[in-house]
Every structure is written in structure tokens, then in C-alpha cells.
Amino acid sequence: MNLRFPPALRFRDFRIFWLGLFVSVIGSQMQLIAINWHLYELLRGQTFTVQLLGRTVELGAEALGLGTLGLVRVIPIVLFALFGGMLADTRNRRSLLLFTEGFDVVIAAILAYLTLTGQTTVLHIYLITGGLAAMNALEGPSRQSLIPHLVPREHFGNAVSVQTLMFTTASIVGPALAGLIVGYANVGYVYAINAVSFVAVVVSLLLMRYRGQVAAASTGLGLNALFDGLRFVFRSPIISSTMLLDFIATFFSSARTMLPIVASDILGVGAVGYGWLATADSVGAVLAGSALATRGEQLRRQGPVLLACVAIYGAATALFGLSTVFALSFVMLMLVGAADAVSTVIRGTVRQLSTPDALRGRMTSVNMMFFMGGPQLGELEAGLVAAAFGVPFAVVTGGVATVVLTALIAWKFPILRRYDTPTPVVAEATA
């Protein structure tokens, strides 16, 4: 059997960084799943009433509480993402990552301590979730903008595929481990593991030979630098259209945040089943990502493939919302993950290779507001709709809306329908 080693992993600095991120993302995925279940348990059985159109409506606190997590995560993204992009373009990216990852260790350790000592409240969960989201908003542009310097340009597409494969593999391992720990032990141990996992990224950054350089020192941190990034994004139709597509899909098809309710109340599989269900989309993503990572050539007709993947993503989400059988729910989430993995590789490759290095941080920060803001706001939207009309209705309508709006974007942006291969505008990546 002839196995092909992904070309990007042949480069030492990228390989070290990839391994450090792999460990860290496993911990982060464990905490993401654990926090959702923890909050669900804290709010389980609680309800409250509101006046809506002259009627008294009773809302479930669990669904609304889980949806509010999305709002808690998106506020720091709005506040800090653009600033993080400017920092990435005007400061040493590696040094910035060392600072933010170190801060992540402290925040995650505080949550572990509070939980293991029985002091955690809903407010604690919201505050610490917001703190971690703020650090992610600051570090995200630097982390993504660093990759083109760790592999040659001709292997950057493969680096994106390998990164996607790493994230999706971690999204299988993390939730599965979290489900077991939450089901049989204290959720606080999950938070402690996450705190330790951030150390892996710090170690990888310290071991790298590449010490970084400032991409655009002369631009400073003022409004002009900010507007330069915004102008570039919104004057580049292929970049802005993929960001809009990303936002729509993740806003309307945010079914993941409702998984604790689906697992417990609809499928009846409990905490351990919830952990396995949370891995389903990642299983599909790993299968698709593995195929992409071992390809020697680049995907062709990327625009049509991207549009098709997002439409499949929405359709599978809608079918998941209709399911009352664990096996069918698992398969539909696998399909969601596979479609998302392919679209993620296409979007990431096109954006990074179509952006000059001096603007990569700011482009990435704008993208973060779409890529991360979409699912977080989508969680709030799903929570509100689910609290009022039930979880199945919220999931199904979100999936259908994604399919319809994808068709609208395909009609509105012919450049996206015809898009084939990216034309890099910069070639400064190093081995």
C-alpha cells in the first residue's frame, strides 16, 4: 500500500507548529463540548416567561442559555478581531502568539479551579468563555498569517488541507474524550486538560527556527491601517463573496450548539452519546480532509465546488433536524462535516494566496468576523428559535435557509460561479 506523506509536513517549522496546535485544539474541543453540557446541566428544567406580541410565552432556559453562549463569544470577536489583524501586520506574529497562548493557559486554569472546587456559576462560564474568545480574536490573524512563511507557496494549499485535517481530527478526539470524562468524572478535569494543552503551542513556538518579521511596520495601528484592510476585502469580489457565503452558512446552520438537547431529549443517548454525536461532523471532515491532504494536485473548478459544498452543508443540517434516530443523525452530521472540510480548504487557499503579506492579518481579521461571528450569532439565533418553537424547527429552517441563500449568492456573484484556480499575488513564503 503506497501512502503519500503530505508535502507541507516535510517542513520542520510547520510540522512543529502543526503538532503544537493539534494538542491545543484537542483541549479546546474538549472544553467546547464540556462547557455546552455544563451550562445545560446548570440550567436544566428552568423556564421563564416573556411577553411576545401581547401573549405570555414560556421559554426553556437551556436552549436560550446555550444560544447566549454564541453572543458571549461573538462580542469579543467584534471588539478585538480587527485590532488583532492590525497587530498581526504591524507586530512580530510569533511573539504575539506567545503572549496570547500564555494568557489562554491562565484563563482555562481559572475555570478548572472554579469547577473542581464547586464554585462555578453560569456567569463564570460566560465570562471565561468571553475571555478565551477575546484571545482567539487577537491571535487568530497572526496564527493564520504565519503559515505562508513556514511552507513554500507551491505547498500552501496542501498546508491548508493538513491544517483542516488536524482541526477535524482534534474535533473527533476532543469531544469523544470530553464525553467520557463528563459522563464518568468531573467536568473540571476537562478544563484542566485544556489549560495544559495550550502549553503545547507555546513550546512549538519556542522551538521554531523562524523568528518572524514585521510585515508592514509603516502602516501603524491607526484608522488608516484599519480601512486599508477593509477596502482590500470589500473591493475583492472573490474574497468578499466567500466571506458572505461563509457567514450565511454558519449563521443559519448552527445545529451544534443544540446537541446537548438533541442528545438528551430527542435521541435519549445521554452525556456519553452526546460526546460521540459531537464527533460526527468531524468524522466526515477527516474523511474528506484526508483525501484532500494526500492529493498531489490542486482542486479544480473551486467556485462551483465551494457552492455545492455549502448547499450540501445546509441540506444535511435540515435532514439532521428531522431525524429521531441516532444513526441517521450521526450520518447527517458526518455529511455536514465533509462538506465543510472541502469548502474550508478552498476558502482558506483562495484568500491567503490572493492577499499580499502586508494585508494578510487584516484580511484574516475581517474574515474572522464572518467565519467566527456567523456561528456564534447563529447559536443565539438557534437558541431563540428553539426556545420559542422547538429544536427541530430551529435546525430544519436554518438548513433550508442556507440552501436558498447559497443559490442567491451563486446568482449574485458570477465570478464565484466561474472561479477556478487562485492567482497568488505574493511569493514570500519560506521553507
Side-chain angles (χ1 to χ4, degrees):
M1 184 167 142
N2 185 22
L3 295 176
R4 300 173 64 181
F5 195 67
L9 289 178
R10 298 169 189 163
F11 298 89
R12 179 186 179 275
D13 281 354
F14 177 78
R15 185 169 61 250
I16 291 172
F17 192 45
W18 185 89
L19 288 171
L21 281 176
F22 187 31
V23 174
S24 178
V25 175
I26 288 175
S28 296
Q29 288 296 317
M30 290 178 68
Q31 177 154 310
L32 178 65
I33 296 303
I35 277 183
N36 286 351
W37 186 266
H38 194 181
L39 189 63
Y40 170 68
E41 287 290 312
L42 290 173
L43 296 173
R44 191 171 190 174
Q46 298 181 35
T47 60
F48 61 93
T49 58
V50 296
Q51 292 296 321
L52 184 65
L53 300 177
R55 298 175 53 200
T56 300
V57 179
E58 187 175 82
L59 301 177
E62 307 106 311
L64 193 57
L66 286 167
T68 303
L69 271 176
L71 181 64
V72 171
R73 293 186 182 113
V74 79
I75 289 175
I77 294 172
V78 173
L79 293 177
F80 298 110
L82 292 176
F83 182 64
M86 289 191 291
L87 286 176
D89 287 339
T90 59
R91 300 294 185 271
N92 185 294
R93 292 163 180 167
R94 175 180 167 276
S95 299
L96 183 62
L97 285 171
L98 283 169
F99 170 79
T100 54
E101 292 292 337
F103 204 80
D104 283 338
V105 174
V106 176
I107 298 175
I110 290 173
L111 181 58
Y113 171 78
L114 290 173
T115 304
L116 290 172
T117 56
Q119 302 179 59
T120 315
T121 66
V122 172
L123 180 60
H124 287 143
I125 290 178
Y126 284 152
L127 288 175
I128 291 173
T129 296
L132 289 170
M135 288 299 103
N136 195 26
L138 288 174
E139 74 186 26
S142 292
R143 183 177 65 246
Q144 295 185 45
S145 300
L146 190 64
I147 302 301
H149 293 276
L150 306 183
V151 295
R153 184 184 66 188
E154 62 269 23
H155 294 306
F156 181 74
N158 183 254
V160 175
S161 298
V162 171
Q163 286 282 90
T164 302
L165 178 61
M166 176 268 290
F167 275 95
T168 50
T169 302
S171 297
I172 295 175
V173 177
L177 290 175
L180 292 172
I181 295 173
V182 171
Y184 297 109
N186 191 314
V187 68
Y189 293 124
V190 174
Y191 304 147
I193 291 171
N194 185 44
V196 174
S197 75
F198 285 119
V199 177
V201 182
V202 175
V203 172
S204 72
L205 290 166
L206 292 173
L207 290 176
M208 286 167 58
R209 293 186 183 126
Y210 178 75
R211 284 295 180 260
Q213 61 188 24
V214 177
S218 62
T219 63
L221 294 174
L223 288 177
N224 286 338
L226 173 62
F227 289 138
D228 283 345
L230 292 172
R231 278 192 292 267
F232 172 77
V233 168
F234 292 109
R235 289 178 181 175
S236 303
I238 191 62
I239 293 179
S240 58
S241 63
T242 58
M243 288 184 182
L244 181 60
L245 189 65
D246 205 0
F247 179 84
I248 286 172
T250 54
F251 179 81
F252 286 105
S253 293
S254 294
R256 192 179 180 89
T257 191
M258 295 294 112
L259 285 186
I261 299 175
V262 172
S264 179
D265 299 346
I266 297 176
L267 301 179
V269 293
V272 176
Y274 161 62
W276 287 110
L277 193 65
T279 69
D281 60 341
S282 299
V283 171
V286 164
L287 293 176
S290 297
L292 291 174
T294 55
R295 282 174 61 94
E297 68 278 3
Q298 188 166 245
L299 276 175
R300 305 297 301 178
R301 296 182 56 78
Q302 289 136 325
V305 172
L306 174 60
L307 289 165
C309 284
V310 177
I312 292 170
Y313 180 93
T317 297
L319 291 174
F320 167 75
L322 293 172
S323 173
T324 57
V325 178
F326 180 84
L328 179 59
S329 298
F330 195 93
V331 170
M332 287 301 102
L333 287 178
M334 281 181 60
L335 190 55
V336 166
D340 187 48
V342 177
S343 67
T344 296
V345 170
I346 294 173
R347 295 190 313 264
T349 303
V350 169
R351 291 169 189 160
Q352 290 288 345
L353 292 185
S354 299
T355 305
D357 189 49
L359 287 167
R360 277 196 181 119
R362 279 163 287 178
M363 181 280 293
T364 302
S365 68
V366 175
N367 180 52
M368 284 183 68
M369 299 185 73
F370 285 86
F371 177 70
M372 297 180 67
Q376 309 312 333
L377 288 174
E379 288 181 8
L380 178 61
E381 178 268 341
L384 290 170
V385 176
F389 303 105
V391 171
F393 181 86
V395 176
V396 171
T397 54
V400 171
T402 298
V403 175
V404 172
L405 291 172
T406 298
L408 181 61
I409 290 176
W411 170 77
K412 185 71 175 177
F413 293 93
I415 189 173
L416 185 57
R417 297 198 308 269
R418 297 192 297 263
Y419 192 80
D420 191 0
T421 56
T423 302
V425 298
V426 64
E428 76 294 316
T430 58

